Amino acid sequence: MKYLLLLLLFPSLIFAQQVNPVLSPEYSRLIHGDTTANAFLPEKRYQELTVKRLYPLNTPLRKISVKNNELAMHAAYPKKLLLAGEYTAGIAFKTVNRLPALQTAYAQGRSIQGALAWQGPETNEMFSYGPLMSQLEYNGQAYPYDVNGKLVPSGTGNGHHPAGYTNNIFRTGAMFSQGFNLKTTLLVNDAPLHEFGIRLGHATEKNIIRYNSNNTKSLEATAGSRIKWLHISGKYNYQEDQFSNTNRAGFLNRVYQQSLLTPASFDNGQGYTLNNGQRSYAQAADNPDFLLRNNGHYYRTYAHQGSLLLERNAWRKMKYKILQSYSRKSENSNEDVKPGTAAFPEGLPLQREKDDRLYQLNGEATRDFDYYLPDVRTRATANYVLTDTRSDIRYQPVYDEGYRYQRTTQELNLQSLSSYRHWSWPEINLGLGNKIYVSNTAGKSYYLLPDIQPGGGL
């Protein structure tokens, strides 16, 4: 191979020419002269710097700055973002566990001239002291209170004996709920620096009492951040509830009571209206379906609550915490009594509005004093609480003016606890404090409530 390369390069070697270097006087003077004669030597200068913070070896740095003769190093802490979410859904069924036993043997009526007689709803008979159901039968004729006709003694009707009606207002209830939760956390050097979370909820319920349903919506948002020794966090809650009927005045209790008092010979389920009025077993009684259906009732509540926390927890410095919160709850309900209701032939319109507000400010500060003496220590604390409560209630159109309540209280508690302990002596404690209480509902304000607590221990 090498002989072949030599053969290929042979023509170029024959025609090659000699190359002579180009030299100039200026070039010769520069390379042969004294190059150190005019050389510039920089002046030795240095500056002493104070290191503001020194990190361990091999700590990654994000930034280095010099200011006012101080060298500040900023570490590049590792950051990590955590994200967690959850969705839940559930369904629940509810049934009545136990009901009281009711008599189903005797019909509506009473004793007349020494004999038990059936008395129909048109007689406004309230009691069920009539004859045995087994001794009665229907006549099959048109009767506005029963599709089967009136009750007559056995052998005088169509032969169909009454089996007794079950006037039950309950059913199998069901509730479907779902929720969504999302939480994010920013970790710096494996410590939480910023946090944010949100929670959503919704639930619908078909109540165990017929013609009743409930609906609930909720929202919760939280946020927090840490700046050196300072911690800031906030929280907001919202909840909305809607009910078909409110039991504030015992309305549902009355519905259940009327179902219990209905005679076994009368069926509430055959209708609750008759001739533009109420169909019930007596004029002084109510049909539960008449009370529940098309009554215009509703109950709505809206609740807002927010809080903000500012906390400082620094070592060997004053520690303080400031928490303020505000909540407001509004209720709006319609509790009208329908025209035609027993004892209320004209009805009774009633709407209720309620507004509750609460503001609270809580501040707490703590400071330790050591006096540069190892045996003497003092801890001073101060706690301040401000509470403002307001409530407005209106009943329309019964009471237009309504009811108003407002109460503001302020409490200040100052405490100082000093302790002395020698290595061979028992510990000696002395607590000094004072409390201040001011309220617009109190007959007197208290500015001096001293407190002295001596003590000791081994």
Side-chain angles (χ1 to χ4, degrees):
M1 176 62 71
K2 62 182 179 179
Y3 296 106
L4 179 59
L5 294 176
L6 182 61
L7 181 60
L8 294 175
L9 295 176
F10 182 72
S12 62
L13 295 176
I14 296 177
F15 296 99
Q17 299 181 1
Q18 183 178 2
V19 180
N20 296 324
V22 179
L23 301 176
S24 64
E26 185 67 22
Y27 176 75
S28 299
R29 184 182 64 80
L30 290 176
I31 64 176
H32 293 92
D34 187 2
T35 59
T36 63
N38 297 324
F40 175 75
L41 295 178
E43 181 182 359
K44 293 184 178 180
R45 300 177 60 187
Y46 63 91
Q47 183 179 5
E48 293 184 355
L49 300 178
T50 302
V51 180
K52 189 174 182 180
R53 184 175 182 181
L54 187 62
Y55 293 93
L57 190 62
N58 299 328
T59 300
L61 299 180
R62 176 177 57 87
K63 179 183 177 182
I64 298 179
S65 60
V66 177
K67 184 178 181 181
N68 298 329
N69 295 333
E70 286 186 349
L71 177 65
M73 295 184 293
H74 306 272
Y77 293 115
K79 297 182 179 181
K80 185 186 301 182
L81 180 63
L82 300 181
L83 181 63
E86 182 183 15
Y87 172 79
T88 58
I91 185 170
F93 298 96
K94 298 181 180 180
T95 59
V96 178
N97 184 25
R98 182 177 297 179
L99 292 175
L102 303 178
Q103 73 86 19
T104 59
Y106 295 92
Q108 182 180 8
R110 67 175 58 202
S111 177
I112 299 178
Q113 296 180 357
L116 297 178
W118 172 75
Q119 297 285 89
E122 67 276 6
T123 64
N124 294 321
E125 176 60 53
M126 293 294 296
F127 300 102
S128 298
Y129 295 149
L132 288 170
M133 302 275 287
S134 59
Q135 299 176 357
L136 300 174
E137 61 184 33
Y138 295 106
N139 62 6
Q141 298 178 5
Y143 183 51
Y145 291 98
D146 200 312
V147 295
N148 298 307
K150 291 185 177 182
L151 291 176
V152 295
S154 297
T156 61
N158 57 9
H160 295 286
H161 296 278
Y165 296 108
T166 302
N167 295 288
N168 191 2
I169 64 170
F170 297 106
R171 63 182 176 181
T172 300
M175 182 177 66
F176 175 73
S177 61
Q178 54 184 339
F180 175 72
N181 183 20
L182 177 65
K183 184 177 181 180
T184 60
T185 304
L186 178 62
L187 301 179
V188 177
N189 198 22
D190 293 332
L193 183 63
H194 304 291
E195 298 174 314
F196 174 77
I198 186 171
R199 184 190 300 270
L200 303 173
H202 183 221
T204 57
E205 180 181 9
K206 184 178 70 173
N207 204 282
I208 59 175
I209 300 179
R210 295 197 307 264
Y211 314 115
N212 273 271
S213 61
N214 303 332
N215 192 352
T216 301
K217 300 177 183 178
S218 62
L219 166 66
E220 178 180 331
T222 58
S225 181
R226 289 174 173 83
I227 305 174
K228 295 184 178 179
W229 301 106
L230 189 63
H231 178 215
I232 304 175
S233 63
K235 186 176 182 180
Y236 171 75
N237 288 332
Y238 171 76
Q239 183 168 334
E240 175 184 340
D241 295 319
Q242 296 184 7
F243 302 154
S244 300
N245 295 281
T246 174
N247 198 38
R248 188 189 62 85
F251 172 76
L252 297 178
N253 295 68
R254 181 176 181 179
V255 171
Y256 180 51
Q257 179 193 42
Q258 296 301 314
S259 69
L260 295 177
L261 296 178
T262 303
S265 57
F266 184 83
D267 185 14
N268 288 323
Q270 293 187 17
Y272 59 90
T273 58
L274 179 64
N275 299 329
N276 297 326
Q278 179 181 185
R279 176 187 172 273
S280 60
Y281 70 91
Q283 187 176 1
D286 288 315
N287 189 320
D289 290 346
F290 178 83
L291 298 177
L292 289 173
R293 302 187 65 177
N294 301 322
N295 55 18
H297 288 186
Y298 61 82
Y299 174 81
R300 305 186 186 100
T301 176
Y302 307 92
H304 302 264
Q305 183 178 8
S307 62
L308 181 63
L309 173 65
L310 181 66
E311 184 176 9
R312 183 193 185 207
N313 190 5
W315 183 65
R316 298 180 65 87
K317 293 183 179 180
M318 178 179 291
K319 303 177 183 179
Y320 59 82
K321 180 172 65 175
I322 301 176
L323 174 63
Q324 58 177 344
S325 62
Y326 177 78
S327 63
R328 182 173 183 176
K329 183 178 181 181
S330 301
E331 298 180 11
N332 188 4
S333 62
N334 186 318
E335 305 172 13
D336 292 348
V337 179
K338 292 174 58 175
T341 303
F344 296 93
E346 303 297 329
L348 179 64
L350 179 62
Q351 291 186 351
R352 180 176 181 268
E353 297 179 357
K354 183 180 180 182
D355 188 15
D356 294 333
R357 287 164 291 176
L358 173 64
Y359 173 78
Q360 192 169 40
L361 174 64
N362 193 330
E364 181 179 349
T366 304
R367 181 65 188 270
D368 293 330
F369 301 92
D370 53 13
Y371 307 107
Y372 299 99
L373 297 175
D375 299 333
V376 181
R377 292 174 298 175
T378 299
R379 167 167 292 187
T381 61
N383 185 274
Y384 173 75
V385 178
L386 168 65
T387 304
D388 183 79
T389 306
R390 300 173 185 265
S391 181
D392 296 334
I393 304 177
R394 290 186 178 184
Y395 294 91
Q396 297 179 349
V398 182
Y399 307 104
D400 292 333
E401 295 183 359
Y403 166 80
R404 294 183 178 181
Y405 172 80
Q406 190 274 330
R407 181 172 184 259
T408 302
T409 61
Q410 299 184 67
E411 299 178 58
L412 177 62
N413 187 6
L414 304 175
Q415 294 289 335
S416 174
L417 178 61
S418 300
S419 63
Y420 175 80
R421 184 184 182 98
H422 195 267
W423 66 275
S424 59
W425 293 1
E427 182 177 1
I428 302 176
N429 299 324
L430 179 61
L432 301 176
N434 184 51
K435 296 181 181 179
I436 299 176
Y437 179 81
V438 179
S439 175
N440 66 328
T441 58
K444 180 181 179 181
S445 299
Y446 299 90
Y447 297 95
L448 185 60
L449 296 173
D451 183 21
I452 301 177
Q453 295 181 0
L458 298 177

